[in-house]
Amino acid sequence: MAYLDFFSSLTHTLADIAVNGGYVTLFLTTFFEGIPLIGIFIPGHVAIIAAGFLASVGVLNVYVVIAVTLVGAVAGYYLSFALGRKYGWPFIDRLRKYFFVKDSHLEKAKK
């Protein structure tokens, strides 16, 4: 039963990460989830579910989990908004031929 040993060691490793840096990991995960092109690869929702589970078993504090998640998500989405506001249209204009963005699509988006 090699898979039981694997999942047992994986569980212990994740518990060590949660105890030693769970809140920081949760903040960074929710922060980077909101940033375009990076957020595609970051499983923020999975981290929130895992943190909720760890809070239910007493490893993490549920109120701190909620606060860290909220602050990380809002900060990540704010950074995403600021980057889009500053670099959005020039970035789209340079790369639109690769993503098949037409002038009609841009006009609809500007409205």
Side-chain angles (χ1 to χ4, degrees):
M1 299 234 173
Y3 64 90
L4 288 177
D5 293 333
F6 171 74
F7 283 114
S8 177
S9 65
L10 179 66
T11 303
H12 290 295
T13 303
L14 292 175
D16 289 340
I17 290 171
V19 169
N20 296 325
Y23 297 120
V24 174
T25 304
L26 183 62
F27 175 81
L28 292 175
T29 304
T30 55
F31 178 79
F32 286 119
E33 182 187 27
I35 298 176
L37 301 177
I38 296 174
I40 295 170
F41 304 106
I42 304 293
H45 294 88
V46 175
I48 293 169
I49 292 169
F53 170 74
L54 292 172
S56 74
V57 296
V59 175
L60 299 176
N61 184 341
V62 69
Y63 299 111
V64 178
V65 166
I66 292 170
V68 167
T69 302
L70 180 69
V71 171
V74 169
Y77 288 128
Y78 179 76
L79 179 64
S80 174
F81 174 78
L83 289 173
R85 188 164 178 94
K86 185 170 185 177
Y87 301 110
W89 289 115
F91 181 75
I92 289 173
D93 281 339
R94 278 187 289 142
L95 296 178
R96 70 182 185 164
K97 61 184 172 184
Y98 302 113
F99 295 108
F100 307 106
V101 177
K102 299 177 184 175
D103 289 333
S104 62
H105 297 146
L106 292 178
E107 292 301 320
K108 287 180 184 178
K110 287 181 182 182
K111 289 183 182 180

